[in-house]
Amino acid sequence: MSDHETVPAAVEHEDEIPPDHPRYTDLVTRHRIERGVEKGITHLQGMHAEGRGSAFDYLLGEETTETADEAERAAAAHLLSADQPVLSINGNVAALVPGEMVELAAAVDADLEINLFNRTPERIGAIESHLREHGATAVKGLEADARIPNLDHERSKVDAEGIYSADVVLVPLEDGDRAEALEAMGKTEIVIDLNPLSRSPQVADVPVVDNIVRAVPNMTAHARALQDASEAELEAIIEDFDRERALEAAESRIRNGL
Ligand code: PTJ
């Protein structure tokens, strides 16, 4: 019997998923996305995104690789040395790691901004409440009083005091067009995406090819460890990170298991 055939048929709460199940993380992730859809947080397309991510994660060995860990440390260094860092939240991110994003924002003194591909007032409201239930005290992205240049209307909406004016942005599971448009605005972009061939990690200053459920807590751990680092130390970590090598290493792991 394969691992997939041992999946419990119906799970009401994620506590019912046995932690010793070989597919535990994948089951929890799927469950959170399903609940996210039910609560109006996650778009139905988020299920497709999750399925794609899950397949890449399987091929990556469902672990944080050495180069992903280096990327997560470089991401923490960028966020700590930023003037105005912003962490972007979409429907998948809110369903999968709401509390973890709040913790990362606190560790690097960043703002949280809801930034949706399929933007509706109902989803914005549901995600805001969800983030507040997980400890957020301030959430941007409700006003959307600025526009990212060269993107069509709904997808371009951001806060003037948030992503629009940020110098460093973390955009997990981001749409390729928007990642390119943010890059064209001159922002330092950190992208979390399990597909190294996707346009978003391809244009990122720091592509993090890892599952967001592992990547975000690990970035927070790095940020806490670097809390007292000097600007020069942070700069050295940023300079040492090689984005091309990180993308190549992830692709090689997926294609060849190396
Ligand atoms: O909530 P919205 O309206 O903003 O929409 C969000 C989605 C994710 C539906 C939207 O941005 C979208 O359609 O994204 P894509 O183009 O499907 O890209 C999502 C990327 O995230 C894909 O490359 C997946 O491989 C990757 N991905 C999915 N799940 C994870 C992931 N990467 C890291 N961790 C995951 N758990």
Side-chain angles (χ1 to χ4, degrees), residues 46 49 52-53 90-91 116-118 123 173 193-194 210-212:
R52 279 198 297 284
N90 67 20
L116 300 183
F117 184 76
N118 310 283
R123 288 189 64 219
L173 285 61
D193 196 316
L194 279 159
D210 197 5
N211 196 320
I212 190 169

Side-chain angles (χ1 to χ4, degrees), residues 84-90 113-117 146-152 154-192 199-206:
Q84 196 200 332
V86 175
L87 315 184
S88 174
I89 310 267
N90 67 20
E113 177 163 343
I114 305 170
N115 178 26
L116 300 183
F117 184 76
R147 301 285 177 270
I148 302 171
N150 303 318
L151 264 191
D152 56 42
E154 286 303 308
R155 286 188 300 168
S156 71
K157 291 183 170 177
V158 286
D159 269 18
E161 301 291 314
I163 288 177
Y164 188 82
S165 50
D167 55 345
V168 177
V169 286
L170 169 65
V171 281
L173 285 61
E174 183 58 286
D175 159 61
D177 284 349
R178 218 166 26 185
E180 279 181 351
L182 288 169
E183 203 253 338
M185 286 176 84
K187 300 194 184 296
T188 297
E189 217 172 342
I190 303 161
V191 169
I192 303 173
R199 257 184 312 150
S200 316
Q202 290 281 336
V203 298
D205 296 277
V206 183

